[in-house]
Amino acid sequence: MNFKRNTAELLSALTGIDVPTLLPLIEVPPKRDMGDFAFPCFSLAKTLRKAPPVIAQDIAGRFPLQDGIARVEAVSGYVNVFLDAEAVARETLRSVASAGSRYGASDEGQGRVVCMDYSSINIAKPFHIGHLSSTVIGHSLYRIYGFLGYKPIGINHLGDWGTQFGKLIVAFQRWGDKDAIEAGGIKELLTIYVRFHDEAEKDDALNDEARAAFKRIEDGDPEALTLFQWFKDITLRDVGKIYDVLGIVFDSYAGESFYNDKMDRVVDELEKSGLLVLDQGAWVVNFPEKDHMPPCLVRKADGASLYITRDIAAALYRKEHYDFYKSLYIVAYQQNLHFKQLFRVVGMMGYDWAKDMEHVAFGMVSIEEGTLSTRSGRVLFLQDVFEKATEKALELIEEKSPDLENKREVAAQIGVGALVYGTLSASRIKDINFSWDRTLNFEGETGPYCQYTHARACSVLRKAETLPAEVDYAELSDDYAQALIKLIAAFPEAVQRACAENEPFVVTRAVTEIAQAYNKFYFEQRILDAPPSTRAARLALTDAARQTIANGLYLIGIAAPERM
């Protein structure tokens, strides 16, 4: 039973206000003695021409005490609803036990396709800490949408086109060593790429060479294309290791180069619709004055296309190929203007589905040394971060659980969990300054804390050996049990909210609060050595907490070890 929705439905019958309007108005009081839900009547005062306390008194007096509701009180303009503790425990724990790994899931998506453009690494450039946000936010949303019945399509829109490939060809031909690059991978490619920029500052003719080399790629020169493909293969081999660690599989790796033969259509459509305007030799789309946006440059004076030309082509392809219900772009807020222009141009072209495209923006990532820069070589390789976090976790395991099986595997799950949690532990729009101290601190509200809570619940259940067949839910009426149960009951709503807001942090917060509540319950209440009836109920609650934490960790892309 969704107790909040049930309360809203009962209030709707009494007030005439529809349920969707009521739901966000219903509050959860800060103290249990103030009720489980509170409905403020102040917004009704003007319409009903009565004082809020009078309205609250009238609603409370007529409120039906159905199953699950113990009593209703009117206090200072609020209608306070007190749920029946036994009913809440019964309905919640039975729901978790019945649904298992699907607890919190639904079929609201009904198979509708949601395209998700995320991670989108650049070929021949390192997978560094700056790519982590897009990657893990996108991966979490992929799982959340799938959990709610949508059909997510994960797209890695590779940055595999542009003058940087000409620079790499020149750098490789001048200073590269094939065996060294095969062995060193992206790091070795980065070394020659950085060297190119250092040398180009002293000799600008290198930039002309790079432009000529890229032109050879565009013209289909066999040697240039072979090197271009080799750079891609080396990159995908290396970044594939990162995706394997994170448990990510993409449905499409169609990058910028995939749309090269699809851009003429974009230009033709813009021209036929009268949107394309010649401005100082370049072709642009002007926006209405009310949009307050500069012109959108579609084709340069020399005939070269731009990112947005390929993005328009990609949008048309994705709609026709996938027929998406939504198309999400998980990209930093630095690109806000780009996506505003993209969506507006597609809409001006007459495609009403432009309204279904959404920029899921997130904050920028910096390191203690300053802004990340591939050209200067100031990057922090994600592989190095994973390895360091794993080593720290392994040290702790050796100290606290030296006999643990699969120590390195669990250490990797903990280290990666710390990194992912750190990225998803706050609203995605916030900037992140990467700190080794924070990343390697596994105390407090962290991924390892939630993982350890899951392992603790597993340990209790292992010692119990069997789960009870019969449960007296009245045994779970104490404050610690009820606080935990209500958080578990609210989990499905948290998943739905995370989806509606494209905000994985909502699930992260819900999992953390359940872990905290379980630990309080664990320390304050006897479980295994409690009287039989109480023991049975508390074991059932432990299992519900374990399952819900596991489900939440899955949705944010973190493993749930059973032993730590």
Side-chain angles (χ1 to χ4, degrees):
M1 181 185 292
N2 186 324
F3 292 100
K4 186 175 181 180
R5 174 168 283 278
N6 185 47
T7 299
E9 289 170 353
L10 294 173
L11 282 168
S12 178
L14 295 172
T15 63
I17 304 171
D18 61 81
V19 172
T21 302
L22 281 169
L23 274 170
L25 298 176
I26 297 174
E27 303 171 1
V28 177
K31 297 180 181 178
R32 193 182 176 195
D33 60 7
M34 298 170 70
D36 295 286
F37 300 120
F39 173 65
C41 298
F42 306 98
S43 60
L44 302 179
K46 187 175 181 180
T47 307
L48 299 179
R49 296 183 180 180
K50 294 180 182 177
V54 175
I55 298 171
Q57 195 69 47
D58 175 60
I59 293 174
R62 294 186 294 121
F63 206 100
L65 297 183
Q66 295 186 353
D67 183 39
I69 297 174
R71 68 182 194 279
V72 180
E73 297 177 353
V75 180
S76 303
Y78 284 85
V79 177
N80 292 342
V81 178
F82 293 80
L83 300 178
D84 178 77
E86 183 178 351
V88 172
R90 181 181 65 248
E91 296 299 330
T92 302
L93 269 59
R94 284 180 177 175
S95 293
V96 180
S98 172
S101 62
R102 295 287 296 163
Y103 178 65
S106 77
D107 60 358
E108 71 173 55
Q110 298 178 336
R112 289 175 292 199
V113 172
V114 179
C115 287
M116 299 183 183
D117 182 329
Y118 65 100
S119 196
S120 301
I121 50 124
N122 291 315
I123 295 299
K125 291 187 180 178
F127 201 143
H128 58 68
I129 195 69
H131 296 118
L132 187 61
S133 292
S134 174
T135 303
V136 301
I137 291 169
H139 181 44
S140 178
L141 290 176
Y142 186 97
R143 288 187 168 184
I144 288 169
Y145 273 90
F147 203 58
L148 295 180
Y150 295 89
K151 182 182 178 182
I153 303 293
I155 300 171
N156 198 323
H157 186 70
L158 300 174
D160 61 356
W161 202 246
T163 312
Q164 71 266 28
F165 292 100
K167 294 176 180 179
L168 271 168
I169 286 176
V170 172
F172 173 70
Q173 291 175 337
R174 282 176 173 258
W175 313 294
D177 178 279
K178 186 169 185 180
D179 290 338
I181 290 173
E182 283 286 357
I186 292 180
K187 288 186 179 182
E188 192 62 30
L189 286 175
L190 177 63
T191 299
I192 63 172
Y193 183 75
V194 170
R195 182 170 179 181
F196 175 92
H197 283 279
D198 290 342
E199 298 291 339
E201 287 183 7
K202 296 176 269 185
D203 180 7
D204 190 55
L206 283 171
N207 289 314
D208 294 329
E209 278 189 52
R211 281 188 283 271
F214 180 58
K215 183 71 165 59
R216 291 199 298 275
I217 297 175
E218 290 183 301
D219 293 343
D221 175 73
E223 182 186 4
L225 283 177
T226 298
L227 285 173
F228 172 64
Q229 187 60 49
W230 182 50
F231 295 150
K232 286 181 67 170
D233 292 342
I234 291 287
T235 305
L236 291 175
R237 182 194 70 191
D238 280 13
V239 301
K241 297 172 186 174
I242 298 292
Y243 292 136
D244 287 345
V245 168
L246 292 168
I248 297 175
V249 177
F250 287 95
D251 301 292
S252 168
Y253 278 96
E256 290 183 69
S257 64
F258 178 77
Y259 299 101
N260 279 340
D261 62 354
K262 299 171 179 61
M263 288 186 291
D264 286 345
R265 171 192 172 182
V266 172
V267 175
D268 288 345
E269 285 195 30
L270 288 170
E271 197 169 17
K272 287 176 183 175
S273 60
L275 294 171
L276 211 55
V277 178
L278 189 62
D279 186 351
Q280 298 179 21
W283 291 97
V284 304
V285 173
N286 289 316
F287 298 105
E289 194 173 321
K290 63 182 177 63
D291 287 345
H292 304 292
M293 284 193 292
C296 174
L297 180 59
V298 174
R299 181 164 280 178
K300 292 180 181 178
D302 63 4
S305 61
L306 291 99
Y307 286 123
I308 200 157
T309 323
R310 283 184 282 274
D311 276 354
I312 295 169
L316 297 176
Y317 174 84
R318 290 171 189 175
K319 182 61 180 177
E320 291 168 2
H321 190 69
Y322 298 114
D323 190 22
F324 58 72
Y325 168 73
K326 277 187 188 180
S327 185
L328 308 180
Y329 296 80
I330 298 96
V331 183
Y333 64 63
Q334 202 176 31
Q335 299 298 321
N336 280 354
L337 176 61
H338 172 85
F339 287 106
K340 283 180 182 177
Q341 290 187 327
L342 170 63
F343 303 159
R344 189 71 173 99
V345 170
V346 172
M348 290 168 66
M349 290 171 73
Y351 295 107
D352 63 353
W353 47 263
K355 69 182 185 307
D356 303 324
M357 301 164 71
E358 184 175 347
H359 178 203
V360 180
F362 57 83
M364 299 298 292
V365 178
S366 60
I367 55 178
E368 291 164 323
E369 292 79 9
T371 306
L372 295 162
S373 171
T374 304
R375 289 185 181 186
S376 66
R378 190 169 58 245
V379 294
L380 192 56
F381 289 94
L382 207 50
Q383 184 66 45
D384 294 342
V385 179
F386 281 164
E387 288 175 3
K388 196 165 181 177
T390 298
E391 289 304 319
K392 171 64 183 296
L394 191 58
E395 288 175 15
L396 291 174
I397 290 173
E398 293 286 8
E399 177 188 334
K400 298 183 177 180
S401 305
D403 298 327
L404 181 68
E405 294 181 10
N406 305 319
K407 283 186 277 193
R408 180 156 286 277
E409 180 185 342
V410 175
Q413 292 175 338
I414 295 169
V416 171
L419 284 166
V420 173
Y421 183 98
T423 305
L424 302 181
S425 62
S427 171
R428 57 180 159 78
I429 206 63
K430 290 187 177 180
D431 289 335
I432 297 174
N433 181 250
F434 179 82
S435 161
W436 278 114
D437 288 341
R438 280 198 305 275
T439 299
L440 300 179
N441 178 12
F442 298 163
E443 302 296 325
E445 293 184 10
T446 62
Y449 171 81
C450 295
Q451 289 173 311
Y452 184 74
T453 306
H454 175 267
R456 166 173 279 160
C458 289
S459 175
V460 170
L461 295 169
R462 276 196 305 274
K463 291 174 182 175
E465 295 183 351
T466 57
L467 279 170
E470 298 291 330
V471 176
D472 181 358
Y473 297 100
E475 295 280 3
L476 298 174
S477 300
D478 63 274
D479 287 352
Y480 297 107
Q482 282 293 303
L484 175 57
I485 290 166
K486 285 167 187 173
L487 289 169
I488 293 171
F491 179 73
E493 185 181 352
V495 178
Q496 290 174 334
R497 186 182 148 210
C499 181
E501 299 176 7
N502 292 316
E503 185 61 276
F505 156 69
V506 177
V507 174
T508 309
R509 187 72 250 158
V511 172
T512 304
E513 289 177 350
I514 291 169
Q516 291 171 329
Y518 179 74
N519 284 321
K520 286 182 182 177
F521 169 77
Y522 174 87
F523 284 114
E524 296 294 337
Q525 303 286 43
R526 292 156 54 204
I527 300 177
L528 293 173
D529 60 350
S533 178
T534 307
R535 181 182 189 271
R538 290 175 180 172
L539 283 173
L541 178 52
T542 293
D543 192 47
R546 174 204 60 79
Q547 184 68 70
T548 309
I549 291 171
N551 292 4
L553 289 175
Y554 166 80
L555 291 177
I556 57 176
I558 295 178
E562 295 187 5
R563 299 173 188 265
M564 282 175 65

